[in-house]
Every structure is written in C-alpha cells, then in structure tokens.
C-alpha cells in the first residue's frame, strides 16, 4: 500500500482582534476550526484556501502570506494531515450565501475564546495556527510554487 497524507488548506483571518472560525459537525461531535478543508484537484493551494473560506463562512478571503505548513497524525483515524495555512484578510461577506453542509455557523472569536474552547477543536492545529499568527509567523506566498 502507498502511503499518502491528506493535504488540507486553512485560512487564518484576523479582524479587530478576533479570528474567523467555524463551528462544524464532525464524526467526533461539534468542533471549532479555521475555515479549512481538503485541497482539490486543479487548484493552487491559495485558491483552495480562498474556496474553503467562502464555502464555510461566506466571507471572501484574500491570502497575504503563508502562515505555516503543519503535519498532524490523527491516531483515532490513522490518518496524517498536511495542512497549508494561509493568513490574510476578509474582503467581503455574502450573509445570504448558504454555508457548506455540516457547518453550523461562522463566528469571530478572540484568542481567549479560542483557547477556552480547546477541548472542542477539530485538531491541535487550530490553536497552533492562532499562536503562530500572533507570534508573527509570516512567509511569502511565493514560497509555494505551482508548475502548470
């Protein structure tokens, strides 16, 4: 068997000291996450993050930098995730747009509110991305190269 990680993209969006999060239904119960999901064929990593943010929050996301690349092994599922997290701005909102199936709501939460819900995070990457963002982690988008 060939081993392959699940590649995911995530959007870290901060505005006025709060971060755009989603509350979603998962197989492990209701969890908090950044707008995030699986990278799809035919798109760049940044396009995937933009798509996921719009589908899960109805906010238009403009990536400004690569926040980090994260590897996490989920022992309960025997799955390894490779997350590309991008930081940027929310440029507009479509409040009437339906959210992806399983997304209960999008919410703007402070770091303290996010920390207080740690036991309900989708993965340990949720808080790690916030902490890295607040610590000033920023890498140019050009770090990721896509060949046609």
């Amino acid at each position: 068997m060939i081993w392959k990680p699940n590649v995911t993209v995530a959007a870290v969006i901060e505005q006025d000291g709060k971060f755009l999060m989603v509350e979603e239904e998962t197989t492990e119960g209701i969890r908090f996450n950044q707008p995030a999901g699986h990278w799809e064929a035919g798109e760049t990593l940044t396009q995937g993050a933009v798509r996921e943010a719009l589908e899960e929050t109805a906010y238009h996301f403009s990536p400004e930098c690569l926040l980090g690349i994260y590897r996490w092994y989920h022992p309960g599922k025997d799955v390894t995730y490779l997350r590309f997290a991008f930081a940027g701005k929310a440029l507009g909102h479509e409040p009437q747009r339906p959210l992806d199936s399983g997304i209960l709501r999008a919410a703007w939460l402070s770091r303290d509110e996010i920390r207080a819900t740690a036991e309900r995070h989708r993965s340990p990457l949720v808080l790690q991305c916030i902490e890295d963002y607040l610590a000033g982690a920023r890498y140019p988008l050009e770090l990721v190269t896509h060949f046609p």
Side-chain angles (χ1 to χ4, degrees):
M1 180 199 289
I2 297 176
W3 173 83
K4 290 183 182 181
N6 285 282
V7 178
T8 62
V9 291
V12 176
I13 305 167
E14 184 265 337
Q15 186 173 293
D16 301 323
K18 296 198 174 201
F19 293 88
L20 184 58
M21 304 291 288
V22 295
E23 191 171 23
E24 59 186 337
E25 295 175 334
T26 75
T27 57
E28 299 166 332
I30 296 173
R31 298 284 187 250
F32 282 100
N33 198 2
Q34 279 93 16
H38 291 276
W39 181 36
E40 294 184 1
E43 64 187 8
T44 66
L45 291 163
T46 53
Q47 288 169 340
V50 167
R51 175 187 49 75
E52 287 291 347
L54 184 60
E55 290 175 353
E56 294 190 354
T57 70
Y59 279 90
H60 292 271
F61 173 55
S62 176
E64 296 177 340
C65 62
L66 177 67
L67 180 62
I69 302 168
Y70 303 84
R71 178 206 170 270
W72 177 59
Y73 174 73
H74 189 306
K77 293 183 176 182
D78 190 29
V79 173
T80 298
Y81 292 94
L82 186 62
R83 173 189 261 210
F84 290 79
F86 296 89
K89 303 285 183 214
L91 295 182
H93 186 224
E94 296 180 36
Q96 302 309 316
R97 183 185 180 94
L99 303 181
D100 255 1
S101 175
I103 302 295
L104 301 176
R105 68 182 176 117
W108 292 94
L109 303 176
S110 69
R111 172 172 57 177
D112 290 342
E113 291 170 319
I114 294 167
R115 282 180 173 165
T117 61
E119 74 283 348
R120 291 184 51 218
H121 289 176
R122 183 86 185 245
S123 80
L125 303 180
V126 174
L127 185 56
Q128 187 64 55
C129 285
I130 299 296
E131 299 296 352
D132 289 351
Y133 175 86
L134 292 171
R138 307 285 191 280
Y139 302 95
L141 291 173
E142 295 78 19
L143 188 65
V144 178
T145 302
H146 291 273
F147 287 96

